[in-house]
Amino acid sequence: MTTTRFAPSPTGYLHIGNLRAALFNAAIARQAGGTFILRIDDTDPERSKQEYIDGIMEDLTWLGLTWDRVEYQSKRLDRYDLAKQKLIEMGRLYECFETPVELDLKRKKQMNMGKPPVYDRAALALSEDEKDKLRAERGSHWRFKLDHKRIEWTDGIIGDISIDAASVSDPVLFKNDGQILYTLASVVDDTEMGVTNVVRGSDHVTNTATQIQMIEALGGTVPNFAHHSLLTGPQGEALSKRLGTLALRDLRAKGIVPMAVLSLMARLGSSDPVELRETVDEVVAGFDLKKFGSAPTKFNADDLGPLTARWLAARPYETVADTVGDLGVPAELGERFWNVVRENITHLGEMAEWWAVFRDGAEPQIADEDAEFIPQALALLGDPPYADDTWATWTSAVKEATGRKGKGLFMPLRHAVTGRTRGPEMADVMPLLQVKPKG
């Protein structure tokens, strides 16, 4: 059975970069009728917070990316300890005593000599007495001993990959305080949970190489790995510094709809064009990992606005009735209100702005040349409620009284009534006004 997982660390809220791994792994599982696991990487007790766990689940639920079960790495520490003992007995895990400062000095010395900054395995030469002495005066950490041979696999996106293990430092699996690092915890979990496919960012390629050796050492089956490209800004700039502003919860607060996000992210970076989908099932059905490339992928949050606008414009009133009602729109006006504004909003937040205009009146935008015209025109308009023919009747009366016509007649009146230069047909606006326009 196909089994995938999404393993976020609950040290912050999900952002648009995290979403690619969640979406890709969920789509692969759903296409195969398999299992999608949400695995919370909460082995760091100081940085992991329940509010972030709740936030991760809220964001995935909002998007419609449901999981089949939840696993918490903090509840599996005994499994990691067993793996640690097994690797020690095999001679594949060894204790090291260098401090961060000492390791940094070693790296700098190697680079000054033109050598790659790879750990020199000095700890392997220590006698038991030397180890006892070091334990008494400082902490220790544990490294996995790599077999110095080429590590090769066929990546689901990048293609054939070959990495010389001798060019990579033996990875640290347990820190000085005993905390297990993701590198081994992930291997143990993937092996014991039967994970068959892993899609993650291309910054994990070296991790994958070392983890393949760990999986093999522990007797597991190596999953099918694929590494998607990293996102950049619209001009190719690094996106990492902006991810805080691209949290999924912030996009949701701005009124971006889930299907805009999923439709874009399911195709961005692939050879297929972005197509707005109606449901998560449609997104999954149209997903094809083989069509994604390895080049950096440009992401522009502004692309979510037009997609949201298109999705909203196609919504029947029944699907948004509760949202409209929550704005305070009277039930008898709800459907009319939605049909008037739905093609004039780019996100749900703008719906509230339009209702504020209809309910309270807009701050009129009056050009200097219209300063006398607008009060004269408004004097010819009665009080609400207005009818379907109010706009036609009113503009005819204003035209006759002032001699204005065409753009010179209609645009100043739109500006005065709505405070905007663009929007719905004014004939549709007038019956929704709850107060007389300000002059």
Side-chain angles (χ1 to χ4, degrees):
M1 178 198 296
T2 298
T3 300
T4 67
R5 46 74 166 179
F6 174 52
S9 175
T11 56
Y13 294 111
L14 290 185
H15 53 66
I16 201 72
N18 301 132
L19 173 59
R20 298 192 88 199
L23 174 57
F24 288 14
N25 284 290
I28 289 171
R30 294 292 172 251
Q31 283 182 340
T35 299
F36 176 54
I37 301 171
L38 173 59
R39 196 167 73 208
I40 305 298
D41 177 7
D42 57 348
T43 56
D44 185 338
E46 292 186 4
R47 299 178 62 218
S48 298
K49 298 184 184 300
Q50 185 62 45
E51 66 181 280
Y52 295 136
I53 295 175
D54 295 341
I56 288 167
M57 293 182 176
E58 288 170 6
D59 287 337
L60 293 178
T61 300
W62 171 66
L63 289 167
L65 298 180
T66 56
W67 53 90
D68 296 297
R69 72 175 196 263
V70 182
E71 299 281 355
Y72 295 87
Q73 291 190 325
S74 61
K75 297 179 181 180
R76 293 178 46 79
L77 300 181
D78 58 330
R79 305 303 305 169
Y80 310 143
D81 286 336
L82 287 175
K84 178 180 182 180
Q85 294 307 313
K86 181 176 180 179
L87 291 174
I88 290 174
E89 292 169 4
M90 296 171 62
R92 299 299 299 274
L93 193 67
Y94 62 100
E95 194 173 13
C96 303
F97 300 89
E98 293 91 351
T99 65
V101 172
E102 291 170 343
L103 289 172
D104 187 52
L105 288 173
K106 282 188 177 185
R107 285 190 289 266
K108 288 179 179 177
K109 183 177 180 180
Q110 289 171 317
M111 288 189 290
N112 288 337
M113 295 173 64
K115 297 180 179 180
V118 177
Y119 179 61
D120 59 10
R121 293 183 169 178
L124 288 173
L126 296 173
S127 67
E128 289 303 317
D129 288 341
E130 288 173 322
K131 291 179 183 178
D132 289 339
K133 182 179 179 181
L134 287 168
R135 287 192 194 101
E137 63 183 42
R138 62 174 71 186
S140 67
H141 55 277
W142 293 80
R143 290 180 183 268
F144 178 73
K145 185 180 179 183
L146 291 165
D147 281 338
H148 283 174
K149 60 182 182 181
R150 299 205 74 82
I151 305 170
E152 300 177 333
W153 75 96
T154 299
D155 190 271
I157 293 176
I158 300 174
D160 292 337
I161 296 179
S162 179
I163 294 178
D164 183 1
S167 68
V168 181
S169 290
D170 291 340
V172 175
L173 303 189
F174 291 88
K175 295 169 64 175
N176 286 353
D177 59 5
Q179 180 188 331
I180 184 173
L181 295 180
Y182 169 84
T183 315
L184 180 61
S186 179
V187 163
V188 173
D189 291 344
D190 287 345
T191 299
E192 296 187 356
M193 295 176 188
V195 172
T196 60
N197 298 73
V198 176
V199 185
R200 54 188 180 183
S202 57
D203 52 336
H204 283 282
V205 167
T206 301
N207 285 344
T208 295
T210 58
Q211 286 178 318
I212 286 174
Q213 283 204 7
M214 292 177 212
I215 293 168
E216 292 172 342
L218 292 171
T221 301
V222 177
N224 296 311
F225 284 102
H227 295 81
H228 62 70
S229 60
L230 299 182
L231 296 179
T232 71
Q235 307 305 318
E237 70 274 22
L239 196 64
S240 56
K241 293 182 180 179
R242 296 179 53 210
L243 286 177
T245 64
L246 294 173
L248 297 183
R249 63 193 286 110
D250 293 334
L251 295 178
R252 181 165 74 247
K254 291 176 182 177
I256 298 298
V257 297
M259 291 314 304
V261 178
L262 293 179
S263 297
L264 178 63
M265 301 312 292
R267 290 290 180 84
L268 193 66
S270 79
S271 58
D272 285 334
V274 174
E275 295 180 355
L276 182 62
R277 303 297 191 180
E278 287 289 315
T279 66
V280 176
D281 287 344
E282 289 182 14
V283 170
V284 168
F287 178 79
D288 189 347
L289 188 69
K290 295 189 293 294
K291 293 188 176 182
F292 283 81
S294 58
T297 299
K298 294 181 180 180
F299 170 79
N300 190 341
D302 292 342
D303 293 337
L304 294 170
L307 289 170
T308 293
R310 284 171 51 200
W311 191 86
L312 289 173
R315 294 310 95 204
Y317 173 65
E318 293 73 21
T319 63
V320 297
D322 289 343
T323 304
V324 171
D326 289 342
L327 294 177
V329 180
E332 65 274 14
L333 292 179
E335 186 166 5
R336 176 190 283 263
F337 168 76
W338 174 245
N339 289 332
V340 167
V341 303
R342 66 180 182 175
E343 293 188 4
N344 290 275
I345 56 177
T346 58
H347 56 76
L348 286 170
E350 291 183 348
M351 185 164 65
E353 296 172 12
W354 274 112
W355 177 241
V357 168
F358 298 151
R359 181 192 63 215
D360 306 325
E363 192 62 37
Q365 301 296 316
I366 303 174
D368 291 342
E369 61 268 25
D370 298 321
E372 295 182 4
F373 167 68
I374 293 301
Q376 184 180 1
L378 290 175
L380 298 173
L381 178 66
D383 294 324
Y386 300 120
D388 292 337
D389 62 353
T390 295
W391 175 252
T393 302
W394 180 37
T395 53
S396 292
V398 174
K399 178 181 179 180
E400 184 175 344
T402 65
R404 289 214 184 193
K405 59 183 178 179
K407 189 175 181 180
L409 168 66
F410 300 120
M411 289 305 293
L413 293 182
R414 173 183 285 279
H415 295 172
V417 173
T418 69
R420 304 176 182 220
T421 58
R422 305 171 73 177
E425 292 293 332
M426 290 302 295
D428 296 326
V429 167
M430 298 304 291
L432 289 167
L433 295 179
Q434 306 298 292
V435 295
K436 184 176 180 177
K438 305 169 186 178

